[in-house]
C-alpha cells in the first residue's frame, strides 16, 4: 500500500528564515505533486515533478524530487507572511494518488 | 471563476435528513473525485469517476452515495449521516491522459451533522 509521510506536520518560522519540508513515500513513483491550501480554502496546485532530479521553482518556493530515495523536498527561502498555509505533497502510482497529511506553515514577523 | 464549483458551500443537516452536494467542472476533464478532509485525518479519497464510470469506491459507507450523470457534473447524496461525518468535502477533477494528473479542486462544501 502506498504511504506518504510529510514532516514536519507543523512549522512555525520567522520571516526571512529558510526551511525545508520533507515528503517521503513508500512505493516507487516518478510523479509527485505539491499543493497549497489557505485556511478555509481549497487546494491549489504548486508544482508537478515528473522525473528523478526534477527541480521546480516559483518565487520563494523550490521543490525537488529524488525517486531513488523516494523523497521530495519543498524548500522555503526567506519566508514571508504570505507563505503561511498548509502544504500537501501527493504521490501518484499507477491509478492511485495519495496525499500526505500536510504541513501547516505559519510565518511570523 | 474557478474551474470546479461546488454547492452548497456550507450545509448543516440532522442525522435523519437527506441532502446532496453538487459539483460542476468547467475544465473539460474526464475524471472527477470526491475527497473528505477533516481535522483528524489527511485528505481521504472517497470516489473516483472516469468518463462517468465509477472506478474507485474507497470503502465508503453506503450513507454516502455518488452520482455522475455526465463528465461535468458530480453529486454526493447524503442520508442518515453521523456527527463524525462532519468535514470538508472536496470535489476535484483531472485529465489523467494529458501527461500529468494534476488535480483541480473545488472550494469545498463544509458539512456539519447535528
Amino acid at each position: 500500500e502506498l504511504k506518504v509521510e510529510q514532516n514536519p506536520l507543523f512549522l512555525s518560522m520567522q520571516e526571512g528564515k529558510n526551511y525545508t519540508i520533507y515528503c517521503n513515500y513508500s512505493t516507487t513513483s516518478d510523479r509527485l505533486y505539491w499543493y497549497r491550501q489557505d485556511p478555509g480554502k481549497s487546494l491549489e496546485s504548486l508544482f508537478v515533478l515528473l522525473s528523478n532530479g526534477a527541480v521546480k521553482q516559483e518565487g520563494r518556493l523550490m521543490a525537488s524530487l529524488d525517486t531513488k530515495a523516494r523523497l521530495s523536498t519543498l524548500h522555503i527561502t526567506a519566508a514571508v507572511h504570505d507563505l503561511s498555509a498548509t502544504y500537501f505533497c501527493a504521490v501518484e502510482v499507477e491509478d492511485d494518488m495519495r496525499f500526505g497529511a500536510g504541513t501547516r506553515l505559519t510565518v511570523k514577523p | 471563476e474557478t474551474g470546479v464549483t461546488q454547492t452548497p458551500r456550507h450545509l448543516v443537516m440532522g442525522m435523519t435528513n437527506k441532502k446532496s452536494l453538487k459539483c460542476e467542472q468547467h475544465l473539460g476533464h474526464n475524471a472527477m473525485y470526491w475527497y473528505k478532509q477533516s481535522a483528524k485525518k489527511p485528505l481521504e479519497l472517497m470516489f473516483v469517476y472516469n468518463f462517468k464510470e465509477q472506478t474507485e469506491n474507497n470503502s465508503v459507507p453506503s450513507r454516502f452515495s455518488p452520482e455522475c450523470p455526465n463528465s461535468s457534473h458530480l453529486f454526493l447524496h447524503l442520508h442518515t449521516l453521523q456527527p463524525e461525518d462532519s468535514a470538508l468535502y472536496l470535489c476535484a477533477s483531472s485529465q489523467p491522459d494529458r501527461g500529468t494528473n494534476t488535480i483541480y479542486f473545488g472550494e469545498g462544501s463544509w458539512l456539519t451533522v447535528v
Side-chain angles (χ1 to χ4, degrees):
Chain A
E1 181 190 350
L2 173 59
K3 293 184 179 179
V4 181
E5 292 186 354
Q6 279 184 244
N7 69 85
L9 297 181
F10 298 92
L11 176 57
S12 179
M13 56 190 298
Q14 284 190 308
E15 281 190 330
K17 298 293 186 180
N18 305 333
Y19 209 84
T20 301
I21 299 170
Y22 297 88
C23 176
N24 292 274
Y25 53 97
S26 61
T27 305
T28 301
S29 171
D30 58 2
R31 288 171 170 249
L32 191 134
Y33 305 78
W34 283 97
Y35 291 84
R36 168 181 172 149
Q37 185 178 33
D38 291 298
K41 301 288 187 180
S42 190
L43 282 79
E44 177 187 348
S45 176
L46 289 175
F47 300 110
V48 180
L49 302 168
L50 298 178
S51 61
N52 186 40
V55 176
K56 295 280 183 73
Q57 183 163 5
E58 179 78 30
R60 301 173 188 273
L61 299 177
M62 184 173 71
S64 66
L65 177 61
D66 181 343
T67 58
K68 294 179 181 178
R70 300 178 185 171
L71 170 69
S72 179
T73 61
L74 181 66
H75 187 72
I76 303 153
T77 302
V80 293
H81 179 70
D82 286 350
L83 290 180
S84 296
T86 300
Y87 294 85
F88 293 89
C89 66
V91 179
E92 184 180 12
V93 176
E94 295 181 352
D95 296 332
D96 192 7
M97 178 80 78
R98 198 64 59 93
F99 283 78
T103 296
R104 185 178 294 179
L105 171 66
T106 303
V107 181
K108 298 181 177 181
Chain B
E1 180 186 347
T2 60
V4 181
T5 55
Q6 290 185 238
T7 55
R9 295 294 314 282
H10 299 271
L11 176 63
V12 179
M13 58 186 290
M15 289 190 285
T16 59
N17 291 160
K18 285 185 180 180
K19 297 286 184 183
S20 296
L21 306 181
K22 179 183 175 182
C23 176
E24 182 176 0
Q25 59 100 355
H26 313 276
L27 300 169
H29 292 163
N30 292 326
M32 295 190 75
Y33 310 79
W34 280 115
Y35 282 87
K36 176 183 177 182
Q37 186 178 33
S38 63
K40 294 183 180 180
K41 289 187 175 181
L43 275 169
E44 295 178 79
L45 177 64
M46 300 176 72
F47 301 105
V48 181
Y49 279 81
N50 221 326
F51 291 95
K52 303 188 302 177
E53 298 297 322
Q54 184 173 312
T55 57
E56 185 161 348
N57 174 341
N58 206 17
S59 303
V60 181
S62 59
R63 57 185 184 270
F64 295 92
S65 174
E67 178 189 358
C68 188
N70 55 61
S71 302
S72 301
H73 294 85
L74 186 64
F75 296 88
L76 187 63
H77 303 299
L78 313 170
H79 176 50
T80 325
L81 294 193
Q82 304 298 312
E84 59 264 29
D85 296 322
S86 299
L88 176 65
Y89 289 85
L90 291 164
C91 175
S93 71
S94 73
Q95 187 71 2
D97 58 1
R98 284 183 185 168
T100 68
N101 195 20
T102 298
I103 296 179
Y104 294 81
F105 288 87
E107 297 273 297
S109 294
W110 288 95
L111 173 67
T112 302
V113 181
V114 297

